[in-house]
Amino acid sequence: RVKYNRDNSIDKHKARWVGRGFSQQEGVDYFQTHSPVMRSSSFRLILSLIAKRRLRAKEFDVSSAFVTADVKENVFVRPPTPMNLPKGTLLKLNKSLPGCKQSGRNFCREFSDHLVSLGFRQCTSDACAFVCNKGNDYAVVGIHVDDGILASSNEALEQRILKGLKSKHELGCVRDPEQFLGLAIDLCDDGSVTLHERKYILDLAQR
C-alpha cells in the first residue's frame, strides 16, 4: 500500500501481515467487534480550541497499532511464507493482527486505557476524545483508529504526553497538523485554522 502526503507526493510504502477475518466464526474465535472512531464534530471542536486558545497542536500515528493489543479469544492463523514452517502448521495469536474482526476493538480499548493511565478522562459524548486538566495546564486528544491529534496548552505538557504515549506505543509520525481524516489542515500565523480538500478534488479530477 502507498501512503500519500497532502500534496499527492508519496509518503511511504506499507506492507502488513493480515489475518483472514472473513474465515472467523462468531462465538468461536470472536465475539464483539464494534470499535468507535472520533466524530467529525469532535475533530472540528479540537481545531476550534486550537484556534481560539492558541494551543500547541500535533498529529501522530501509531505504528503497527493493532499488534500491541492482546487477543483474549483463541485465534489461529497460517504462518507467512518466509517462516518456512512444516505444512499444516498454525500459529496462535497472542496479539491482534490487521484483518481480524476484533483487532480494531482490541486496540481501541488498549489505547484508551493507556490514555486514562496518563491522566486523561474519556469524554462521555465521544469515546475517542480525551481531556486532561492539571492545574492551569490542559490537553485534548482525539483518536481515529490509529491516527491521533493532540492539542495542549504548553510545550512541557505536550512533550510529557508524547513521552507517555511512546512508553507503550511506537509513534511513526509526530508533526504539526497537515492532514487528518482526509482533510488538509493549515495553521495560520494569526492563529486561525483552515481546512480544505485539495488532494481529494485532484484525485476526483484524475479519475
Side-chain angles (χ1 to χ4, degrees):
R1 177 187 172 190
V2 180
K3 188 172 183 179
Y4 295 93
N5 294 309
R6 56 182 286 179
D7 60 359
N8 229 24
S9 62
I10 296 177
D11 179 20
K12 57 185 175 182
H13 296 268
K14 301 175 66 175
R16 292 175 175 172
W17 180 25
V18 180
R20 295 160 58 92
F22 58 83
S23 65
Q24 290 183 258
Q25 298 181 27
E26 183 176 6
V28 178
D29 52 7
Y30 80 92
F31 296 91
Q32 294 180 315
T33 61
H34 172 69
S35 177
V37 294
M38 180 172 56
R39 297 179 179 179
S40 59
S41 57
S42 299
F43 171 59
R44 292 177 181 274
L45 177 59
I46 292 174
L47 294 181
S48 297
L49 290 173
I50 292 171
K52 184 175 182 179
R53 301 190 179 184
R54 296 293 185 95
L55 301 181
R56 297 180 59 84
K58 294 293 182 184
E59 64 170 301
F60 61 88
D61 69 277
V62 183
S63 299
S64 303
F66 292 170
V67 300
T68 64
D70 294 333
V71 176
K72 296 181 179 180
E73 301 86 0
N74 291 321
V75 181
F76 296 88
V77 296
R78 296 175 181 173
T81 303
M83 293 187 72
N84 196 27
L85 295 174
K87 186 176 180 180
T89 300
L90 295 177
L91 304 178
K92 182 179 182 298
L93 291 182
N94 292 322
K95 299 290 185 177
S96 300
L97 268 186
C100 293
K101 291 185 177 293
Q102 65 269 60
S103 293
R105 180 182 179 86
N106 291 344
F107 172 72
C108 181
R109 181 181 62 242
E110 189 260 353
F111 196 81
S112 297
D113 290 344
H114 185 47
L115 282 172
V116 171
S117 73
L118 295 177
F120 281 87
R121 300 192 318 274
Q122 192 172 29
C123 295
T124 55
S125 59
D126 189 333
C128 291
F130 300 80
V131 179
C132 175
N133 290 305
K134 294 184 178 180
N136 294 325
D137 297 338
Y138 59 91
V140 182
V141 169
I143 300 296
H144 190 277
V145 191
D146 58 354
D147 294 319
I149 184 166
L150 164 65
S152 55
S153 55
N154 58 70
E155 184 178 5
L157 178 60
E158 175 185 271
Q159 292 303 314
R160 190 159 64 245
I161 293 170
L162 291 175
K163 182 178 179 180
L165 292 176
K166 291 177 181 178
S167 68
K168 192 170 184 179
H169 300 88
E170 180 183 351
L171 302 186
C173 176
V174 180
R175 63 187 180 189
D176 294 338
E178 294 182 1
Q179 183 172 281
F180 197 80
L181 301 183
L183 296 172
I185 306 171
D186 290 327
L187 301 181
C188 304
D189 293 337
D190 62 0
S192 62
V193 179
T194 302
L195 300 177
H196 64 84
E197 294 183 293
R198 181 176 182 273
K199 179 180 179 301
Y200 176 68
I201 294 172
L202 290 175
D203 289 344
L204 286 179
Q206 292 175 358
R207 293 179 181 177

